Amino acid sequence: MKYSMAPASKHLGELLGMEVIQAKDVIGEDAKKKAAALKEGQILMLENARFHKEEEKNDPAFAKELADMAEIYVNDAFGTAHRAHATTAGIADYLPAVSGFLIQKEIDVMGKALSNPERPFVAILGGAKVSDKIEVIKNLIDKVDALIIGGGMAYTFLKAKGYSIGTSICEDEKLDLAKELMAKAEEKGIKLLLPLGNVIAKEFSNDAESKSIASDQIPDGWMGLDIDENTVKAYTEVIRSAKTIVWNGPMGVFEMPKFAKGTKLIAKAVAESGAISIIGGGDSAAAVEQLGFADKITHISTGGGASLEFLEGKVLPGIACLMNKDRKRVVAGN
Ligand code: AMP
């Protein structure tokens, strides 16, 4: 059955060198019977909760039925902690709820960076769109010493500065916001770094003709697909001076080898910085892993969406429902 947990049970059993019992469903008679028959040290894998629409609806009756089979709820799925589903939040209404070691590490490392970072604190944001990162920028601009911007989102900022950006990706409806953010950074004395130069191409293709050019010289009909070497140099200097770094989003279209260099060099700079380094999931994490720098990074978040929401300063429902050592519910964020 597609999306069944059975292969996960089998693999977990192999890793642990013991049998992992598999239930036919996540609730119902079979699961209940197998849960009740569990002896100490045995493991029961319930079937995929999303086979029931009640899971994503955070249905209380469904959550209670799950809870009735157990004594304690341990959540270690940071990647889904930004969702209020029955297995990530609802169940905590019926059982003592605690975090596993992974969620603990995610909150400890990211929470400290946001609330009490070693300075200078540098955030590096990239990726396609400004609109996906607005809340992160707004939250971080009050906390960082420098904000480095790369990737497609940089072109909205460059256009807001009055530069021609050719056919580069741009969100025109965000130009005012980009101006506001740049003004705010200046007012607060925060360095907001934009690409000094770019690798531009005539088409969105790895085979396209390409060249490096300063940000105020992008010709009509060309698009920026990566940061250039001068930009990497400038960004690397700031990264080297940092004591805490948070990075989310690639510096260019790194899926195409021709435009992956900026992202790779920034990954290298972060890895070699010696700073406390935190990488949001997704593309930047993939870049660091591919390059073999993962072990030089303090923390690579296991949740793309969840880490973004954490950086936005939002309360994640899958964490807010957990208890701290005083058996009180914790609240994530800053
Ligand atoms: P995100 O999911 O927002 O982190 O964005 C990641 C995507 O942004 C990747 O698929 C990149 O190819 C894309 N991207 C990065 N830089 C650019 C750029 N200059 N133009 C277009 N897309 C870009």
Side-chain angles (χ1 to χ4, degrees), residues 24-67:
K24 289 189 187 134
D25 196 353
V26 65
I27 50 168
E29 278 318 303
D30 179 68
K32 250 194 242 172
K33 217 165 68 192
K34 286 178 175 156
L38 274 184
K39 297 199 184 72
E40 204 171 317
Q42 285 187 320
I43 297 173
L44 170 66
M45 177 78 79
L46 299 172
E47 196 35 283
N48 191 336
R50 287 194 182 173
F51 288 165
H52 293 260
K53 61 182 182 327
E54 291 86 348
E55 158 65 354
E56 290 183 51
K57 287 192 175 145
N58 196 8
D59 180 81
F62 179 74
K64 178 156 190 327
E65 205 170 335
L66 284 168

Short mmCIF file of all heavy atoms in Angstrom, two decimals, residues 24-67:
data_model
loop_
_atom_site.label_atom_id
_atom_site.label_comp_id
_atom_site.label_asym_id
_atom_site.label_seq_id
_atom_site.Cartn_x
_atom_site.Cartn_y
_atom_site.Cartn_z
N LYS A 24 -2.28 -2.72 11.68
CA LYS A 24 -2.92 -2.57 10.37
C LYS A 24 -3.41 -1.15 10.14
O LYS A 24 -3.61 -0.73 9.01
CB LYS A 24 -4.12 -3.53 10.29
CG LYS A 24 -3.70 -4.98 10.17
CD LYS A 24 -4.92 -5.85 9.86
CE LYS A 24 -4.52 -7.30 9.93
NZ LYS A 24 -5.48 -8.11 10.68
N ASP A 25 -3.68 -0.44 11.21
CA ASP A 25 -4.20 0.92 11.09
C ASP A 25 -3.62 1.73 12.26
O ASP A 25 -2.99 1.16 13.15
CB ASP A 25 -5.74 0.88 11.14
CG ASP A 25 -6.37 2.17 10.62
OD1 ASP A 25 -5.63 3.14 10.36
OD2 ASP A 25 -7.61 2.22 10.50
N VAL A 26 -3.88 3.03 12.26
CA VAL A 26 -3.35 3.84 13.36
C VAL A 26 -4.30 3.82 14.56
O VAL A 26 -3.88 4.03 15.71
CB VAL A 26 -3.06 5.28 12.88
CG1 VAL A 26 -4.33 6.00 12.48
CG2 VAL A 26 -2.30 6.09 13.92
N ILE A 27 -5.57 3.58 14.30
CA ILE A 27 -6.55 3.38 15.38
C ILE A 27 -7.29 2.06 15.07
O ILE A 27 -6.90 1.35 14.16
CB ILE A 27 -7.57 4.55 15.46
CG1 ILE A 27 -8.16 4.83 14.08
CG2 ILE A 27 -6.93 5.80 16.02
CD1 ILE A 27 -9.35 5.74 14.07
N GLY A 28 -8.31 1.77 15.85
CA GLY A 28 -9.13 0.58 15.57
C GLY A 28 -8.70 -0.63 16.37
O GLY A 28 -7.73 -0.58 17.14
N GLU A 29 -9.44 -1.72 16.17
CA GLU A 29 -9.29 -2.91 17.00
C GLU A 29 -7.88 -3.51 16.98
O GLU A 29 -7.31 -3.81 18.02
CB GLU A 29 -10.31 -3.99 16.57
CG GLU A 29 -11.71 -3.79 17.16
CD GLU A 29 -11.69 -3.36 18.63
OE1 GLU A 29 -11.10 -4.10 19.46
OE2 GLU A 29 -12.24 -2.28 18.96
N ASP A 30 -7.34 -3.67 15.76
CA ASP A 30 -6.02 -4.31 15.63
C ASP A 30 -4.95 -3.51 16.39
O ASP A 30 -4.17 -4.07 17.17
CB ASP A 30 -5.65 -4.44 14.15
CG ASP A 30 -4.28 -5.07 13.96
OD1 ASP A 30 -4.14 -6.27 14.26
OD2 ASP A 30 -3.35 -4.35 13.54
N ALA A 31 -4.95 -2.20 16.19
CA ALA A 31 -3.96 -1.35 16.86
C ALA A 31 -4.13 -1.42 18.38
O ALA A 31 -3.16 -1.56 19.13
CB ALA A 31 -4.09 0.09 16.37
N LYS A 32 -5.39 -1.33 18.80
CA LYS A 32 -5.68 -1.35 20.24
C LYS A 32 -5.20 -2.65 20.87
O LYS A 32 -4.57 -2.65 21.93
CB LYS A 32 -7.20 -1.25 20.44
CG LYS A 32 -7.64 0.07 21.03
CD LYS A 32 -9.07 -0.03 21.51
CE LYS A 32 -9.94 0.93 20.76
NZ LYS A 32 -11.36 0.80 21.01
N LYS A 33 -5.53 -3.76 20.20
CA LYS A 33 -5.17 -5.07 20.73
C LYS A 33 -3.65 -5.20 20.82
O LYS A 33 -3.11 -5.63 21.85
CB LYS A 33 -5.74 -6.17 19.81
CG LYS A 33 -6.23 -7.38 20.58
CD LYS A 33 -7.12 -8.29 19.77
CE LYS A 33 -6.32 -8.96 18.65
NZ LYS A 33 -7.18 -9.61 17.68
N LYS A 34 -2.97 -4.81 19.74
CA LYS A 34 -1.51 -4.94 19.73
C LYS A 34 -0.87 -4.01 20.76
O LYS A 34 0.12 -4.37 21.40
CB LYS A 34 -0.96 -4.67 18.33
CG LYS A 34 -1.24 -5.83 17.37
CD LYS A 34 -0.75 -5.57 15.98
CE LYS A 34 -0.95 -6.81 15.12
NZ LYS A 34 -1.03 -6.51 13.70
N ALA A 35 -1.44 -2.82 20.94
CA ALA A 35 -0.88 -1.88 21.93
C ALA A 35 -1.05 -2.46 23.33
O ALA A 35 -0.14 -2.40 24.17
CB ALA A 35 -1.57 -0.53 21.82
N ALA A 36 -2.22 -3.03 23.60
CA ALA A 36 -2.49 -3.57 24.94
C ALA A 36 -1.59 -4.76 25.25
O ALA A 36 -1.26 -5.01 26.40
CB ALA A 36 -3.97 -3.96 25.03
N ALA A 37 -1.20 -5.50 24.19
CA ALA A 37 -0.41 -6.71 24.41
C ALA A 37 1.10 -6.43 24.46
O ALA A 37 1.90 -7.34 24.69
CB ALA A 37 -0.70 -7.72 23.28
N LEU A 38 1.48 -5.16 24.27
CA LEU A 38 2.92 -4.84 24.23
C LEU A 38 3.60 -5.14 25.56
O LEU A 38 3.09 -4.78 26.63
CB LEU A 38 3.13 -3.35 23.94
CG LEU A 38 3.16 -2.88 22.50
CD1 LEU A 38 3.48 -1.39 22.47
CD2 LEU A 38 4.18 -3.65 21.68
N LYS A 39 4.77 -5.78 25.48
CA LYS A 39 5.55 -6.00 26.71
C LYS A 39 6.66 -4.95 26.75
O LYS A 39 6.98 -4.34 25.74
CB LYS A 39 6.16 -7.40 26.66
CG LYS A 39 5.11 -8.47 26.64
CD LYS A 39 5.71 -9.82 27.05
CE LYS A 39 4.67 -10.90 26.95
NZ LYS A 39 4.35 -11.23 25.54
N GLU A 40 7.23 -4.79 27.94
CA GLU A 40 8.27 -3.78 28.07
C GLU A 40 9.38 -4.00 27.05
O GLU A 40 9.83 -5.13 26.85
CB GLU A 40 8.85 -3.83 29.49
CG GLU A 40 9.45 -2.51 29.85
CD GLU A 40 9.82 -2.46 31.32
OE1 GLU A 40 9.03 -2.93 32.14
OE2 GLU A 40 10.92 -1.96 31.60
N GLY A 41 9.81 -2.95 26.40
CA GLY A 41 10.89 -3.05 25.43
C GLY A 41 10.42 -3.33 24.02
O GLY A 41 11.20 -3.22 23.07
N GLN A 42 9.18 -3.71 23.86
CA GLN A 42 8.67 -3.97 22.50
C GLN A 42 8.23 -2.67 21.83
O GLN A 42 7.91 -1.68 22.50
CB GLN A 42 7.49 -4.93 22.56
CG GLN A 42 7.91 -6.37 22.84
CD GLN A 42 6.74 -7.33 22.72
OE1 GLN A 42 5.63 -7.03 23.15
NE2 GLN A 42 7.00 -8.48 22.14
N ILE A 43 8.22 -2.71 20.51
CA ILE A 43 7.84 -1.53 19.74
C ILE A 43 6.68 -1.87 18.82
O ILE A 43 6.72 -2.88 18.12
CB ILE A 43 9.02 -1.00 18.90
CG1 ILE A 43 10.16 -0.56 19.81
CG2 ILE A 43 8.59 0.14 17.99
CD1 ILE A 43 11.43 -0.20 19.07
N LEU A 44 5.69 -1.01 18.83
CA LEU A 44 4.56 -1.16 17.90
C LEU A 44 4.56 0.05 16.97
O LEU A 44 4.58 1.20 17.42
CB LEU A 44 3.25 -1.21 18.69
CG LEU A 44 1.96 -1.12 17.87
CD1 LEU A 44 1.77 -2.34 16.97
CD2 LEU A 44 0.74 -0.97 18.81
N MET A 45 4.58 -0.19 15.67
CA MET A 45 4.47 0.90 14.69
C MET A 45 3.02 0.97 14.24
O MET A 45 2.47 0.00 13.72
CB MET A 45 5.36 0.62 13.49
CG MET A 45 5.27 1.64 12.38
SD MET A 45 6.20 3.15 12.72
CE MET A 45 7.87 2.61 12.31
N LEU A 46 2.42 2.13 14.46
CA LEU A 46 1.05 2.31 13.99
C LEU A 46 1.09 2.67 12.50
O LEU A 46 2.10 3.14 12.00
CB LEU A 46 0.36 3.41 14.79
CG LEU A 46 0.24 3.13 16.30
CD1 LEU A 46 -0.28 4.35 17.03
CD2 LEU A 46 -0.65 1.92 16.56
N GLU A 47 -0.01 2.45 11.82
CA GLU A 47 -0.05 2.77 10.39
C GLU A 47 -0.09 4.29 10.19
O GLU A 47 -0.29 5.06 11.15
CB GLU A 47 -1.26 2.04 9.77
CG GLU A 47 -1.31 1.89 8.27
CD GLU A 47 0.05 1.69 7.57
OE1 GLU A 47 0.78 2.69 7.42
OE2 GLU A 47 0.35 0.56 7.16
N ASN A 48 0.10 4.72 8.99
CA ASN A 48 0.16 6.15 8.65
C ASN A 48 -1.12 6.89 9.09
O ASN A 48 -2.21 6.58 8.62
CB ASN A 48 0.35 6.27 7.13
CG ASN A 48 0.68 7.67 6.69
OD1 ASN A 48 0.35 8.64 7.37
ND2 ASN A 48 1.32 7.78 5.55
N ALA A 49 -0.94 7.87 9.97
CA ALA A 49 -2.11 8.58 10.52
C ALA A 49 -2.85 9.37 9.43
O ALA A 49 -4.05 9.61 9.53
CB ALA A 49 -1.67 9.52 11.64
N ARG A 50 -2.12 9.76 8.39
CA ARG A 50 -2.76 10.57 7.34
C ARG A 50 -3.69 9.76 6.44
O ARG A 50 -4.33 10.32 5.55
CB ARG A 50 -1.71 11.29 6.51
CG ARG A 50 -1.08 12.42 7.28
CD ARG A 50 -0.28 13.35 6.41
NE ARG A 50 0.33 14.39 7.22
CZ ARG A 50 1.20 15.27 6.75
NH1 ARG A 50 1.57 15.23 5.49
NH2 ARG A 50 1.71 16.19 7.54
N PHE A 51 -3.79 8.44 6.68
CA PHE A 51 -4.81 7.67 5.97
C PHE A 51 -6.21 8.06 6.46
O PHE A 51 -7.21 7.71 5.86
CB PHE A 51 -4.59 6.16 6.15
CG PHE A 51 -3.39 5.63 5.39
CD1 PHE A 51 -2.87 4.37 5.68
CD2 PHE A 51 -2.80 6.38 4.39
CE1 PHE A 51 -1.77 3.88 4.98
CE2 PHE A 51 -1.69 5.89 3.68
CZ PHE A 51 -1.18 4.64 3.98
N HIS A 52 -6.26 8.77 7.59
CA HIS A 52 -7.55 9.25 8.13
C HIS A 52 -7.61 10.76 7.97
O HIS A 52 -6.68 11.46 8.38
CB HIS A 52 -7.67 8.92 9.62
CG HIS A 52 -7.76 7.45 9.89
ND1 HIS A 52 -8.95 6.82 10.13
CD2 HIS A 52 -6.81 6.50 9.90
CE1 HIS A 52 -8.73 5.52 10.31
NE2 HIS A 52 -7.44 5.30 10.18
N LYS A 53 -8.70 11.25 7.41
CA LYS A 53 -8.80 12.71 7.23
C LYS A 53 -8.85 13.45 8.56
O LYS A 53 -8.50 14.62 8.66
CB LYS A 53 -9.99 13.08 6.34
CG LYS A 53 -11.34 12.67 6.87
CD LYS A 53 -12.42 13.04 5.88
CE LYS A 53 -13.83 12.72 6.34
NZ LYS A 53 -14.03 11.53 7.18
N GLU A 54 -9.22 12.74 9.62
CA GLU A 54 -9.28 13.35 10.95
C GLU A 54 -7.91 13.82 11.43
O GLU A 54 -7.82 14.70 12.29
CB GLU A 54 -9.85 12.35 11.98
CG GLU A 54 -11.31 12.03 11.81
CD GLU A 54 -11.55 10.88 10.81
OE1 GLU A 54 -10.59 10.49 10.10
OE2 GLU A 54 -12.68 10.40 10.75
N GLU A 55 -6.85 13.19 10.91
CA GLU A 55 -5.49 13.57 11.34
C GLU A 55 -5.21 15.05 11.05
O GLU A 55 -4.94 15.84 11.94
CB GLU A 55 -4.47 12.66 10.65
CG GLU A 55 -3.04 13.20 10.54
CD GLU A 55 -2.32 13.40 11.86
OE1 GLU A 55 -2.93 13.23 12.92
OE2 GLU A 55 -1.12 13.76 11.81
N GLU A 56 -5.32 15.42 9.77
CA GLU A 56 -4.98 16.80 9.42
C GLU A 56 -6.03 17.79 9.92
O GLU A 56 -5.75 18.98 10.04
CB GLU A 56 -4.73 16.93 7.92
CG GLU A 56 -3.43 16.23 7.53
CD GLU A 56 -3.07 16.36 6.07
OE1 GLU A 56 -3.06 17.48 5.55
OE2 GLU A 56 -2.79 15.30 5.45
N LYS A 57 -7.24 17.27 10.21
CA LYS A 57 -8.28 18.16 10.75
C LYS A 57 -8.13 18.35 12.25
O LYS A 57 -8.90 19.07 12.88
CB LYS A 57 -9.67 17.56 10.47
CG LYS A 57 -10.05 17.67 9.02
CD LYS A 57 -11.51 17.34 8.84
CE LYS A 57 -11.91 17.58 7.41
NZ LYS A 57 -12.91 16.62 6.96
N ASN A 58 -7.18 17.66 12.83
CA ASN A 58 -6.95 17.72 14.27
C ASN A 58 -8.24 17.38 15.03
O ASN A 58 -8.63 18.09 15.96
CB ASN A 58 -6.42 19.11 14.68
CG ASN A 58 -5.81 19.09 16.06
OD1 ASN A 58 -5.65 18.03 16.66
ND2 ASN A 58 -5.48 20.27 16.56
N ASP A 59 -8.85 16.30 14.62
CA ASP A 59 -10.13 15.89 15.20
C ASP A 59 -9.93 15.37 16.63
O ASP A 59 -9.14 14.45 16.86
CB ASP A 59 -10.71 14.77 14.32
CG ASP A 59 -12.04 14.27 14.82
OD1 ASP A 59 -13.04 14.93 14.55
OD2 ASP A 59 -12.05 13.22 15.53
N PRO A 60 -10.64 15.96 17.62
CA PRO A 60 -10.40 15.58 19.02
C PRO A 60 -10.73 14.11 19.32
O PRO A 60 -10.01 13.46 20.08
CB PRO A 60 -11.34 16.49 19.82
CG PRO A 60 -11.78 17.55 18.88
CD PRO A 60 -11.63 17.04 17.50
N ALA A 61 -11.79 13.58 18.71
CA ALA A 61 -12.16 12.19 18.98
C ALA A 61 -11.07 11.25 18.46
O ALA A 61 -10.71 10.25 19.12
CB ALA A 61 -13.50 11.87 18.32
N PHE A 62 -10.53 11.58 17.30
CA PHE A 62 -9.45 10.78 16.72
C PHE A 62 -8.20 10.86 17.61
O PHE A 62 -7.56 9.85 17.92
CB PHE A 62 -9.16 11.33 15.32
CG PHE A 62 -8.06 10.65 14.57
CD1 PHE A 62 -8.24 9.37 14.03
CD2 PHE A 62 -6.83 11.27 14.37
CE1 PHE A 62 -7.22 8.74 13.31
CE2 PHE A 62 -5.81 10.65 13.65
CZ PHE A 62 -6.01 9.39 13.13
N ALA A 63 -7.88 12.08 18.06
CA ALA A 63 -6.71 12.27 18.93
C ALA A 63 -6.88 11.47 20.22
O ALA A 63 -5.94 10.85 20.72
CB ALA A 63 -6.52 13.76 19.24
N LYS A 64 -8.11 11.47 20.74
CA LYS A 64 -8.36 10.76 22.01
C LYS A 64 -8.22 9.25 21.81
O LYS A 64 -7.66 8.55 22.64
CB LYS A 64 -9.73 11.12 22.56
CG LYS A 64 -10.05 10.37 23.82
CD LYS A 64 -11.07 11.06 24.69
CE LYS A 64 -11.19 10.44 26.07
NZ LYS A 64 -10.99 9.01 26.18
N GLU A 65 -8.72 8.79 20.68
CA GLU A 65 -8.62 7.36 20.40
C GLU A 65 -7.15 6.92 20.34
O GLU A 65 -6.78 5.86 20.84
CB GLU A 65 -9.34 7.05 19.08
CG GLU A 65 -9.80 5.60 19.03
CD GLU A 65 -10.71 5.32 17.85
OE1 GLU A 65 -11.37 6.26 17.34
OE2 GLU A 65 -10.75 4.14 17.44
N LEU A 66 -6.33 7.77 19.75
CA LEU A 66 -4.89 7.48 19.71
C LEU A 66 -4.31 7.49 21.13
O LEU A 66 -3.58 6.58 21.52
CB LEU A 66 -4.16 8.56 18.92
CG LEU A 66 -4.25 8.54 17.41
CD1 LEU A 66 -3.72 9.85 16.84
CD2 LEU A 66 -3.45 7.36 16.86
N ALA A 67 -4.67 8.53 21.86
CA ALA A 67 -4.12 8.72 23.20
C ALA A 67 -4.50 7.57 24.13
O ALA A 67 -3.71 7.18 25.00
CB ALA A 67 -4.61 10.05 23.79
#
